[in-house]
């Protein structure tokens, strides 16, 4: 069965520091999809990125970057020069091709990031 | 563009009372629809999903039920609420996965339910 582990429950950094959020996944599928979501205090989950298992290129979007490594089953998320507005709970999630057209997501338990001014 | 609505935003209900939460999506057709619950402590639990009208799949046995009477409407119900039903309920939609493609889920603003 699929599983997503976010071992860091809470992280606290000072503004402008870089921070990496870890995500380790387990799946038997050879085709799968990984996601990161942000949940600010308002509660609504905001989609950040989707990565397919057959595309191992890392991605950078502004201050955000993602490092996908199939060899270690990890999909880590780095925020560069963190800002107070980055404070939120961040979720990593996995979807498998074998789940059919529904493509259900399995979420990690989330990492609470607090950026202090 | 697509928009997802949920209501009510907050709800306080006594134990044993019925529940009806509604979710509607605009700007897309034939979406997958999902209901999640997030209890205190952050974990997201998939409750139900639907790939079409009248097609409901349950992930967790409980006293909740779901229905999809229209293509872009998803309803979460209960006949008698339990204290353990308290939580933050999130509805989401996605484009159907086809071939080897997959798409992200987009979430609504959520309903905060407190059962007293």
């Amino acid at each position: 069965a699929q599983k997503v582990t976010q071992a860091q429950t809470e992280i606290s950094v000072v503004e402008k520091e870089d921070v990496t959020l870890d995500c380790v996944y387990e799946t038997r599928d050879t085709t799968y999809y990984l996601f990161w979501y942000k949940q600010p205090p308002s509660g609504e989950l905001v989609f950040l990125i989707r990565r397919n298992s057959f595309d191992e290129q890392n991605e950078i979007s502004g201050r955000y970057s993602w490092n996908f490594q199939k060899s270690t089953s990890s999909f880590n998320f780095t925020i560069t020069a963190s800002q107070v507005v980055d404070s939120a709970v961040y979720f990593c999630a996995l979807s498998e091709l074998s789940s059919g057209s529904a493509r259900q997501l399995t979420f990690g338990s989330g990492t609470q990031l607090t950026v202090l001014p | 563009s697509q928009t997802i609505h949920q209501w009510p935003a907050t709800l306080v209900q006594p134990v044993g009372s019925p529940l009806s939460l509604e979710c509607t999506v605009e700007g897309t057709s034939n979406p997958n629809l999902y209901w999640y619950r997030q209890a205190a402590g952050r974990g997201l639990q998939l409750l139900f999903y639907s790939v079409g009208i009248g097609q409901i799949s349950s992930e967790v046995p409980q006293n909740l039920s779901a229905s999809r009477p229209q293509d872009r409407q998803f309803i979460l119900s209960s006949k008698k609420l339990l204290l353990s039903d308290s939580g933050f309920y999130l509805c989401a939609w996605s484009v159907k996965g086809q071939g080897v493609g997959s798409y992200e889920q987009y979430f609504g603003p959520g309903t905060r339910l407190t059962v007293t």
Side-chain angles (χ1 to χ4, degrees):
Chain A
Q2 67 274 25
K3 184 179 179 181
V4 177
T5 301
Q6 294 180 257
Q8 302 153 309
T9 305
E10 297 182 15
I11 299 176
S12 183
V13 299
V14 177
E15 204 169 20
K16 297 184 183 178
E17 286 185 355
D18 299 346
V19 58
T20 295
L21 309 182
D22 297 333
C23 174
V24 174
Y25 62 90
E26 296 177 28
T27 177
R28 293 180 181 177
D29 276 26
T30 56
T31 302
Y32 52 90
Y33 316 90
L34 297 164
F35 305 81
W36 276 96
Y37 284 86
K38 175 182 180 179
Q39 187 177 37
S42 62
E44 184 173 342
L45 266 77
V46 177
F47 164 73
L48 296 177
I49 190 172
R50 166 172 48 90
R51 174 62 66 209
N52 304 328
S53 58
F54 41 86
D55 179 5
E56 286 193 72
Q57 279 192 338
N58 292 324
E59 185 157 339
I60 298 174
S61 177
R63 295 185 297 108
Y64 294 172
S65 62
W66 290 270
N67 183 359
F68 176 31
Q69 293 202 350
K70 289 178 76 170
S71 60
T72 56
S73 298
S74 64
F75 186 43
N76 296 338
F77 173 29
T78 297
I79 302 175
T80 303
S82 60
Q83 300 175 1
V84 173
V85 293
D86 295 327
S87 297
V89 180
Y90 290 85
F91 290 95
C92 182
L94 167 73
S95 173
E96 298 173 317
L97 178 65
S98 61
S99 63
S101 62
R103 298 284 198 271
Q104 302 93 300
L105 291 178
T106 297
F107 282 87
S109 55
T111 297
Q112 170 72 62
L113 174 64
T114 302
V115 181
L116 303 170
Chain B
S1 63
Q2 299 83 13
T3 309
I4 179 167
H5 303 280
Q6 283 187 249
W7 63 90
T10 60
L11 192 59
V12 180
Q13 293 283 91
V15 168
S17 63
L19 173 74
S20 181
L21 303 181
E22 190 164 342
C23 170
T24 58
V25 181
E26 296 178 355
T28 186
S29 296
N30 195 27
N32 288 339
L33 296 173
Y34 309 83
W35 277 113
Y36 291 86
R37 177 169 60 201
Q38 186 176 33
R42 296 199 302 268
L44 280 156
Q45 180 184 42
L46 177 63
L47 301 176
F48 300 95
Y49 66 90
S50 171
V51 299
I53 296 175
Q55 300 179 62
I56 308 295
S57 296
S58 173
E59 289 291 293
V60 182
Q62 58 214 323
N63 69 321
L64 299 171
S65 62
S67 61
R68 186 171 176 173
Q70 300 180 42
D71 181 44
R72 290 169 289 178
Q73 184 184 30
F74 205 22
I75 297 172
L76 183 69
S77 304
S78 174
K79 293 182 179 179
K80 289 186 177 182
L81 283 168
L82 307 172
L83 284 174
S84 58
D85 291 324
S86 292
F88 189 49
Y89 288 82
L90 289 155
C91 181
W93 76 273
S94 77
V95 174
K96 283 186 175 42
Q98 297 180 358
V100 295
S102 186
Y103 303 91
E104 51 276 11
Q105 293 182 17
Y106 293 97
F107 286 79
T111 295
R112 203 163 296 279
L113 171 66
T114 303
V115 182
T116 60

